[in-house]
Amino acid sequence: MATINRRDFVKAVGLVSAAGAVGFPMISRAKPAARVVVVGGGFGGATAAKYTKLYVPDAEVVLVEKDTEYYTCPFSNEVLGGERNIDQIRFGYGGLAARGIEVVHDEVVELDAEKKRIKTKGGKTLDFDFCVVSPGISFRPDAIEGYDEAAAQKMPHAWKAGEQTMLLRKQLEAMEDGGVVMIAAPPNPFRCPPGPYERASQIAHYLKHHKPKSKLIIMDAKNKFSKQGLFTAGWDEYYEGIIEWRSAANDGKVLAVDADKGLLMTEFEEHRPAVANVVPAQQAGSLAINAGLTEPSGWCLVDQRTFESRKAEGVFVIGDACMAGAMPKSGYSANSQGKIAAASIAARATGAQAPEPSYINTCYSLVTPEYGISVSMVYRVNQEGIIQGVPNAGGLSPSEAPDWVRRREAEWARSWYDNIVADLFT
Ligand SMILES: Cc1cc2nc3c(=O)[nH]c(=O)nc-3n(C[C@H](O)[C@H](O)[C@H](O)COP(=O)(O)OP(=O)(O)OC[C@H]3O[C@@H](n4cnc5c(N)ncnc54)[C@H](O)[C@@H]3O)c2cc1C
């Protein structure tokens, strides 16, 4: 779909901060004394903490995040491709503290929804009126036989950015020219549907320029993937003979690993790549599981109008950990949901009417530093949940486009990133 409307829409969401895109009004007549504890300071949690404080200025907002610094997964693939430095995707929490949010660096080990209380590893007990939980993802322990924390040190997943990103980058740098890189891509649903394929593009970009005899094979647990037509057209143009994709139907699904021997096993074959990037099947972050917020699927069900948990009154689950209807698990979705949860809490705390929610997401991917593609959508909610509901808002990048269109989308991708991290952390 290649309409002026779509391009203008993509430009708008790329250039304008996500803050404005959701459009919730600030609730200025705040009643004091709502105590809100937010667990997890990533895309969902940082947003929810900031916007709760904005909407209800005299609420006490406490953000509990186990790490002192946050590395964004968005643009971590560009670190793997050598186009960005790890320090450029690292953020601290000083901006949120300056807004009057109490930032506690500790790990939440218990959430008691009945008593409305959390406990931390460091021995703190915090009571709340409302709690927002945004712990991200964990890996299903049974997903790939032999893949555990020790294996992840040899075959990094790099699906949580930071240390794991650098481990994979160092392995790529150390690999000899002519080596094979394998990415084991997970089944649905998972964090960032286009992520493995953008990663393949970025690593191929590095190989093409630094190790041109090398190859990259995507071993997939699926038979199709996000923005497939756009990615494959980009790969044909830029990475012919470098990237190969093997679907699940073509024995692409990795079932087991032997990390000590460097082996990946599928149903019929055994592979020994020079570098293995293994991304297992996923579920909600372990806190959500331990707190009893998840369904047997491993994900949390919420009221998609407010993001309040279906299992715990006063507890809101946002971001990758929840199932949000038609919305993908992305940082932009988590950011959008953080604003809705904050507005729901503000309405409850002040007795105001919550506004009718509208949600937004754009996933940009860089095939090369100058070749961007995207999928965008504005969502609304009906009785069934969140649906793709706004005609002509969003869509895919055009399948045929001149270079300047791809270049412009790459610029918008970088601009989107600058805006969203400013929205999260300042
Ligand atoms: C390679 C890659 C590329 C991506 N690119 C994009 C992109 O271009 N655009 C996009 O929109 N999305 C992208 N994503 C997806 C995006 O990173 C996630 O969807 C987003 O981070 C989800 O936000 P979240 O708040 O649910 O989880 P997170 O951002 O992971 O935040 C969870 C936080 O909770 C903390 N935490 C967990 N448990 C506890 C606990 N018990 N106590 C205290 N703290 C805790 C963690 O330390 C973490 O900081 C990408 C993902 C990957 C892997």
Side-chain angles (χ1 to χ4, degrees):
M1 178 179 150
T3 66
I4 292 291
N5 280 348
R6 197 205 87 88
R7 286 204 296 269
D8 287 348
F9 167 78
V10 173
K11 186 177 179 187
V13 295
L15 297 179
V16 177
S17 153
V22 176
F24 276 91
M26 179 172 137
I27 297 165
S28 54
R29 265 188 324 100
K31 208 165 66 180
R35 187 167 168 86
V36 182
V37 172
V38 180
V39 185
F43 274 78
T47 308
K50 172 175 165 179
Y51 280 83
T52 302
K53 193 69 189 164
L54 278 173
Y55 295 157
V56 193
D58 55 356
E60 273 181 71
V61 180
V62 185
L63 174 65
V64 190
E65 162 57 51
K66 62 182 173 198
D67 297 324
T68 51
E69 286 173 329
Y70 180 79
Y71 292 87
T72 65
C73 285
F75 279 84
S76 65
N77 286 333
E78 285 61 32
V79 174
L80 297 175
E83 291 294 315
R84 210 169 259 247
N85 190 295
I86 192 81
D87 295 331
Q88 293 173 286
I89 61 164
R90 188 186 63 200
F91 298 87
Y93 292 93
L96 293 179
R99 288 181 171 277
I101 295 161
E102 189 186 340
V103 181
V104 174
H105 290 296
D106 205 341
E107 184 174 344
V108 176
V109 288
E110 197 184 311
L111 191 167
D112 187 331
E114 295 242 315
K115 293 192 179 128
K116 296 203 180 301
R117 174 171 296 168
I118 60 143
K119 289 191 176 162
T120 70
K121 201 174 182 176
K124 282 197 170 65
T125 299
L126 300 174
D127 293 324
F128 60 79
D129 300 311
F130 304 102
C131 182
V132 182
V133 179
S134 192
I137 52 142
S138 58
F139 297 114
R140 287 182 166 275
D142 54 349
I144 296 179
E145 197 187 318
Y147 195 81
D148 54 15
E149 275 185 34
Q153 294 308 309
K154 293 184 174 154
M155 299 178 159
H157 51 78
W159 222 239
K160 296 179 185 181
E163 220 176 276
Q164 278 275 311
T165 314
M166 285 317 289
L167 190 58
L168 183 54
R169 172 69 194 165
K170 283 187 185 128
Q171 290 186 357
L172 292 168
E173 282 170 348
M175 186 183 86
E176 287 189 9
D177 190 8
V180 172
V181 180
M182 273 194 177
I183 298 177
N188 293 322
F190 66 104
R191 158 176 285 185
C192 195
Y197 314 98
E198 186 196 52
R199 174 166 294 177
S201 310
Q202 288 298 313
I203 294 177
H205 172 71
Y206 169 70
L207 298 179
K208 181 173 173 175
H209 294 282
H210 299 276
K211 306 193 173 173
K213 289 186 238 148
S214 305
K215 255 193 90 159
L216 183 145
I217 304 175
I218 306 165
M219 305 292 291
D220 214 323
K222 304 178 291 301
N223 287 321
K224 56 182 186 179
F225 61 88
S226 170
K227 295 187 269 189
Q228 185 162 353
L230 289 165
F231 272 116
T232 45
W235 294 345
D236 287 348
E237 196 172 338
Y238 290 94
Y239 305 125
E240 206 190 345
I242 301 178
I243 296 183
E244 183 189 333
W245 175 67
R246 285 200 200 159
S247 66
N250 193 19
D251 199 31
K253 185 173 180 181
V254 173
L255 300 173
V257 301
D258 183 332
D260 291 333
K261 293 186 182 150
L263 293 175
L264 301 186
M265 274 78 81
T266 62
E267 190 177 359
F268 299 110
E269 276 186 290
E270 204 171 81
H271 303 272
R272 195 193 296 271
V275 174
N277 169 211
V278 177
V279 186
Q282 293 155 35
Q283 58 188 0
S286 35
L287 173 73
I289 296 170
N290 297 341
L293 296 171
T294 48
E295 298 295 316
S297 66
W299 304 103
C300 303
L301 290 192
V302 294
D303 174 342
Q304 293 178 16
R305 192 171 283 279
T306 61
F307 284 86
E308 188 166 12
S309 165
R310 292 278 189 203
K311 294 198 151 185
E313 190 261 321
V315 175
F316 295 71
V317 187
I318 57 172
D320 291 349
C322 76
M323 291 306 284
M327 294 184 91
K329 297 187 183 299
S330 77
Y332 202 176
S333 294
N335 171 259
S336 188
Q337 294 159 10
K339 290 169 187 172
I340 306 286
S344 310
I345 289 169
R348 289 264 281 276
T350 61
Q353 172 98 26
E356 180 65 21
S358 164
Y359 314 79
I360 190 167
N361 180 64
T362 301
C363 284
Y364 288 101
S365 302
L366 294 178
V367 175
T368 79
E370 300 305 325
Y371 189 114
I373 54 177
S374 67
V375 56
S376 300
M377 197 54 63
V378 178
Y379 303 86
R380 64 184 175 84
V381 67
N382 68 11
Q383 303 86 316
E384 278 132 52
I386 296 171
I387 54 164
Q388 298 185 353
V390 181
N392 299 323
L396 275 171
S397 303
S399 54
E400 306 275 334
D403 288 351
W404 68 266
V405 170
R406 305 297 189 212
R407 225 176 10 253
R408 195 175 59 174
E409 283 224 63
E411 275 311 307
W412 291 343
R414 289 184 275 269
S415 160
W416 169 84
Y417 182 76
D418 292 344
N419 282 302
I420 201 158
V421 293
D423 193 31
L424 295 179
F425 296 112
T426 60

